[in-house]
């Protein structure tokens, strides 16, 4: 294995029970996770804060939708602004589309249909498109601009596929699009298999869910969650796995006082000082709250 990032726990960022009580999120299934952070100050003319955090419950019931919190530091405090998408959408993947000069949200509804919304200010969004994925993806994942070695400049979408192969293993796949809105082509629906299948180790993670792409120094990683914890593949310039990097954050890394039994939906980001942070959901009882961890040691600066 190479030196994958390691993280230590910092604090809780968003309490799901408080979000349900104060901001109208459902109180029968109390969860706030699937975070994505936009560096608003880099892209928007007059942002209300340096960082915009988008997150949602998992369910698609009325009262769910995607919420926006803002802060001037990743450690918070995070202030709730509004529900930016109020219908039954969940699991946001957010980026700033440089070509269109728009903040773009990718999400999915209870029927597993993936949608695109965009905005000039990161606060007020309009529905733009339904993603024409074939085979169908389940919407847990991320979208990012990428330059392949052959010179193609595209948007890549990495998404949880569920069971798309004859072996019925829970993997994630890779799609590409020229503009990030239409004409998505599937590169491989099972490019990212569970680690236990990739390594042959029955104790390795058995699910490759919620893929998140990140570059750290000269290394590329695809990060996932599973019941065992948050783990990664190192990938090559074509985004294909080249090595399993192990579990780098597990429920046992949480303070005992949190009663954490699972960690989920990681999002990695650097602050302005080059320090890597990870936002993630932590499962405790019947709730999922949003938490923060910070990289251990000094990692090479490579601002995303």
């Amino acid at each position: 294995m190479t030196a994958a990032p390691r993280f230590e726990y910092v604090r809780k960022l968003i309490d799901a029970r408080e979000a349900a009580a104060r901001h109208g999120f459902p109180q029968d299934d109390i969860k706030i996770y699937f975070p994505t952070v936009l560096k608003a100050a880099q892209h928007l003319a007059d942002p209300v804060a340096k960082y915009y955090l988008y997150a949602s419950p998992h369910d698609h019931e009325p009262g769910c939708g995607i919420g926006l919190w803002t802060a001037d530091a990743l450690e918070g405090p995070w202030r709730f602004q509004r529900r930016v998408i109020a219908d039954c959408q969940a699991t946001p993947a957010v980026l700033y589309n440089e070509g269109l000069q728009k903040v773009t949200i990718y999400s999915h509804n209870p029927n597993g249909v993936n949608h695109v919304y965009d905005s000039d200010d990161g606060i007020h969004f309009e529905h733009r498109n339904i993603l024409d994925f074939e085979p169908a993806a389940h919407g847990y994942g991320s979208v990012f601009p990428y330059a392949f070695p052959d010179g193609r400049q595209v948007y890549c979408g990495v998404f949880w596929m569920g069971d798309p192969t004859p072996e019925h293993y829970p993997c994630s796949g890779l799609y590409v699009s020229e503009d990030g809105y239409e004409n998505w082509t599937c590169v491989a629906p099972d490019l990212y298999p569970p680690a236990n299948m990739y390594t042959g180790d029955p104790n390795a993670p058995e699910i490759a869910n919620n893929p998140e792409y990140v570059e750290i120094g000269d290394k590329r990683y695809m990060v996932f969650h599973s019941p065992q914890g948050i783990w990664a593949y190192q990938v090559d310039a074509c985004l294909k796995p080249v090595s399993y990097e192990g579990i780098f954050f597990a429920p046992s890394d949480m303070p005992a006082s949190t009663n954490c039994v699972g960690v989920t939906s990681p999002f990695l980001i650097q602050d302005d000082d080059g320090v890597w942070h990870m936002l993630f959901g932590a499962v405790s009882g019947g709730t999922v709250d949003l938490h923060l961890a910070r990289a251990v040691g000094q990692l090479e600066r490579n601002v995303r």
Side-chain angles (χ1 to χ4, degrees):
M1 293 184 188
T2 56
R6 296 293 184 267
F7 289 82
E8 61 183 5
Y9 181 73
V10 177
R11 63 182 296 262
K12 182 191 293 187
L13 297 181
I14 297 175
D15 185 282
R17 292 188 182 279
E18 180 179 345
R22 297 182 60 186
H23 309 312
F25 287 99
Q27 300 196 35
D28 56 346
D29 191 20
I30 303 173
K31 300 172 182 175
I32 297 291
Y33 54 140
F34 300 105
T36 304
V37 176
L38 175 74
K39 293 183 175 180
Q42 289 187 4
H43 302 295
L44 304 179
D46 189 24
V48 300
K50 181 182 290 187
Y51 298 107
Y52 285 15
L53 164 62
Y54 302 88
S56 76
H58 182 274
D59 287 350
H60 304 276
E61 301 301 324
C64 286
I66 296 168
L68 168 65
W69 289 258
T70 61
D72 288 318
L74 292 172
E75 291 82 1
W78 289 92
R79 176 173 296 184
F80 181 76
Q81 295 292 334
R82 58 175 291 171
R83 203 165 312 167
V84 295
I85 299 175
D87 58 11
C88 298
Q89 299 289 319
T91 66
V94 182
L95 62 76
Y96 187 77
N97 189 307
E98 295 284 356
L100 299 174
Q101 301 288 290
K102 299 278 190 181
V103 180
T104 308
I105 288 181
Y106 303 83
S107 65
H108 78 288
N109 69 12
N111 296 320
V113 178
N114 298 281
H115 294 254
V116 183
Y117 298 78
D118 64 21
S119 168
D120 292 320
D121 62 6
I123 299 174
H124 304 90
F125 284 82
E126 296 184 15
H127 184 266
R128 291 301 180 194
N129 193 28
I130 295 176
L131 298 186
D132 53 347
F133 286 158
E134 180 59 43
H138 287 239
Y140 308 100
S142 59
V143 180
F144 53 95
Y146 192 74
F148 280 98
D150 62 6
R152 286 180 298 155
Q153 299 275 345
V154 298
Y155 287 89
C156 290
V158 283
F159 292 103
W160 164 250
M161 300 299 295
D163 302 324
T165 67
E167 294 84 358
H168 298 292
Y169 55 83
C171 61
S172 287
L174 171 65
Y175 297 80
V176 297
S177 166
E178 290 188 1
D179 63 4
Y181 278 60
E182 297 180 324
N183 301 318
W184 287 85
T185 300
C186 183
V187 176
D190 54 355
L191 188 59
Y192 309 108
N196 63 346
M197 295 193 66
Y198 183 85
T199 63
D201 178 359
N203 296 315
E206 59 196 27
I207 291 176
N209 199 349
N210 206 82
E212 169 72 14
Y213 176 71
V214 63
E215 296 178 4
I216 299 178
D218 61 352
K219 304 281 195 310
R220 304 173 183 88
Y221 297 97
M222 202 66 72
V223 179
F224 307 88
H225 76 238
S226 74
Q228 295 97 319
I230 295 168
W231 60 281
Y233 286 129
Q234 187 180 153
V235 299
D236 64 16
C238 292
L239 303 178
K240 297 178 180 179
V242 296
S243 63
Y244 167 57
E245 298 297 306
I247 296 170
F248 61 85
F249 198 83
S252 58
D253 294 310
M254 294 287 288
S257 60
T258 63
N259 298 312
C260 178
V261 297
V263 289
T264 180
S265 58
F267 179 83
L268 282 72
I269 185 172
Q270 277 184 308
D271 65 15
D272 291 341
D273 295 323
V275 178
W276 282 96
H277 294 72
M278 180 174 68
L279 292 80
F280 61 96
V283 183
S284 176
T287 68
V288 182
D289 300 313
L290 200 59
H291 294 255
L292 181 72
R294 183 186 297 116
V296 176
Q298 186 65 37
L299 295 173
E300 183 177 348
R301 181 178 176 86
N302 183 57
V303 175
R304 177 177 175 175

